[in-house]
Amino acid sequence: MEKINIGQNVYLPMLVTLLGVNVENKANFMALGWISRLNASPPLLGAAINKYHYSAEGIRENETFSINIPSKELMKETDYCGLVSGRETDKSCLFNVFYGELETAPMIEQCPVCIECKLVDIYPLPSNDLIIGEIVATYTEKQYLINGVPDIRKIDPLFLTMPDNNYWTVGDNVGKAWEAGKDL
Amino acid sequence: MEKINIGQNVYLPMLVTLLGVNVENKANFMALGWISRLNASPPLLGAAINKYHYSAEGIRENETFSINIPSKELMKETDYCGLVSGRETDKSCLFNVFYGELETAPMIEQCPVCIECKLVDIYPLPSNDLIIGEIVATYTEKQYLINGVPDIRKIDPLFLTMPDNNYWTVGDNVGKAWEAGKDL
């Protein structure tokens, strides 16, 4: 079928996460979809956020942050974190907050997976900052593990598509990576 | 329930894409999961790949690349692209290849969405390069669109979890972003 060009501003389906940052000694959480692992060893990840986000101040202040993966059950709270800014609204009481070894990266007790990071670098982009962090610890619970590894069905995370702005769950297991292509 | 620390090397569930690059005037495709939008305007995205990948050479050579989203039906071919290196194996005949306005970013006709990018910068990480590109065009077909926007159910993409190395489909639509949290 004929290919058509739908322009430049296309989005990739993305995992929904919550970025946790202390700002002025108080926990704040923002919805974050622009995130990826960046490096294997050391384990680095990158989060792209608008320079003017309240969270950007806290990252510079403490040089620590967290990436929390909410389950479907936290959809309302997660969406709320994307609707209001911590500059005007105190989001610190929305969740039960805990801290890990870095002491200043707030994490969410209700999230199945919480990744604690220390800041490595900030790469400036035109309107965003790419926050590059090293993972120092990952907190979860036994109920989310299979063979010691977090299981996506137990985590039950959300994915976001834009610009239709829909939340999606994970579907079926359809194959094994680094195996499915061995026939070819 | 009690939180346990499962260490540093944790992965986020990721969209499965194919990175298209011309290397020595031939199309090559590698499986890529470490990718995210980075900036809204201009529309930038970032892909983190090992410095020693064959594709890294082609990106420096042409300063163009593509991000292709395969559907579930292309799982075997996609996985194969992650199993073998273009340095030893010619992957140019695995798909029907087409080129867009940049002329050197090979794209995959069989993929529902193909994003054509020009290189903006390479940010060096310890073992990876973060390839930062500006989206110049996005190619799709009418059959994948709803209201002019690519629909994730029609694209039917794959998600990858590591280290269990499973491929997953998209599940159910469970809510609207920037709306679900308005009650709170």
Side-chain angles (χ1 to χ4, degrees):
Chain A
M1 203 175 289
E2 204 190 346
K3 296 286 177 189
I4 49 175
N5 180 355
I6 55 165
Q8 294 179 267
N9 199 24
V10 75
Y11 300 91
L12 301 161
M14 58 200 106
L15 179 74
V16 175
T17 69
L18 287 166
L19 175 68
V21 177
N22 263 15
V23 194
E24 297 171 339
N25 300 313
K26 204 165 59 183
N28 186 60
F29 300 100
M30 64 167 274
L32 170 72
W34 292 5
I35 180 163
S36 173
R37 272 290 294 264
L38 295 183
N39 198 77
S41 177
L44 303 181
L45 49 74
I49 67 171
N50 193 286
K51 287 180 203 294
Y52 302 104
H53 270 307
Y54 191 56
S55 297
E57 296 176 21
I59 288 172
R60 283 177 171 81
E61 187 186 322
N62 298 298
E63 302 195 335
T64 62
F65 62 94
S66 73
I67 302 296
N68 304 269
I69 307 181
S71 63
K72 182 180 66 191
E73 279 64 39
L74 290 173
M75 182 175 69
K76 280 191 182 186
E77 290 81 0
T78 301
D79 194 64
Y80 179 78
C81 287
L83 284 170
V84 298
S85 168
R87 224 183 289 278
E88 287 95 36
T89 308
D90 181 354
K91 291 184 260 185
S92 67
C93 298
L94 206 56
F95 306 104
N96 297 337
V97 176
F98 72 99
Y99 290 86
E101 54 191 77
L102 297 177
E103 296 179 1
T104 53
M107 289 177 282
I108 299 171
E109 206 176 282
Q110 289 93 330
C111 283
V113 176
C114 306
I115 306 170
E116 189 182 21
C117 301
K118 67 177 175 191
L119 183 68
V120 168
D121 197 10
I122 298 178
Y123 176 90
L125 295 154
S127 58
N128 281 11
D129 281 330
L130 178 64
I131 309 299
I132 301 172
E134 180 171 347
I135 301 170
V136 299
T138 307
Y139 301 90
T140 186
E141 296 167 25
K142 274 190 184 158
Q143 61 172 316
Y144 301 117
L145 301 177
I146 288 184
N147 299 325
V149 169
D151 180 75
I152 195 170
R153 281 165 301 197
K154 293 172 182 287
I155 298 172
D156 200 12
L158 294 166
F159 294 94
L160 169 65
T161 50
M162 288 170 62
D164 53 305
N165 301 347
N166 281 303
Y167 289 124
W168 305 87
T169 59
V170 68
D172 299 323
N173 181 353
V174 288
K176 292 296 277 185
W178 294 281
E179 270 189 43
K182 280 186 180 169
D183 300 347
L184 295 184
Chain B
M1 203 175 288
E2 205 191 345
K3 296 285 177 189
I4 49 175
N5 180 356
I6 56 165
Q8 295 179 266
N9 199 26
V10 74
Y11 300 91
L12 302 161
M14 57 199 107
L15 179 74
V16 175
T17 70
L18 287 166
L19 175 70
V21 177
N22 263 14
V23 196
E24 296 170 340
N25 299 314
K26 205 164 59 184
N28 187 60
F29 300 99
M30 65 167 273
L32 170 72
W34 292 4
I35 180 165
S36 173
R37 271 292 293 266
L38 295 182
N39 198 77
S41 178
L44 304 180
L45 50 73
I49 66 171
N50 193 285
K51 287 180 203 293
Y52 303 104
H53 271 307
Y54 191 55
S55 297
E57 294 176 21
I59 288 172
R60 284 176 170 80
E61 186 185 323
N62 298 298
E63 302 194 337
T64 62
F65 62 94
S66 73
I67 302 296
N68 305 269
I69 306 181
S71 61
K72 182 180 67 193
E73 279 63 40
L74 289 173
M75 182 174 69
K76 279 191 182 185
E77 290 80 359
T78 301
D79 195 64
Y80 178 77
C81 287
L83 283 169
V84 298
S85 168
R87 224 183 290 278
E88 287 95 36
T89 308
D90 182 355
K91 291 183 260 185
S92 67
C93 299
L94 204 55
F95 307 104
N96 296 337
V97 176
F98 72 100
Y99 291 86
E101 54 191 77
L102 297 177
E103 296 180 3
T104 51
M107 289 176 282
I108 299 171
E109 207 175 282
Q110 289 93 329
C111 283
V113 175
C114 306
I115 305 170
E116 189 182 19
C117 302
K118 68 176 175 193
L119 183 67
V120 169
D121 196 11
I122 298 177
Y123 176 90
L125 295 154
S127 58
N128 281 9
D129 280 331
L130 178 63
I131 309 299
I132 301 171
E134 180 171 346
I135 302 170
V136 299
T138 307
Y139 301 90
T140 185
E141 295 167 26
K142 275 191 183 154
Q143 60 172 317
Y144 301 117
L145 301 177
I146 289 183
N147 300 324
V149 170
D151 181 76
I152 194 170
R153 281 165 301 198
K154 293 173 182 286
I155 299 171
D156 200 11
L158 294 166
F159 294 93
L160 169 64
T161 50
M162 289 169 63
D164 51 304
N165 302 345
N166 281 302
Y167 289 123
W168 305 87
T169 59
V170 68
D172 299 324
N173 181 353
V174 288
K176 293 295 277 186
W178 294 281
E179 269 188 43
K182 280 187 179 166
D183 300 346
L184 296 184

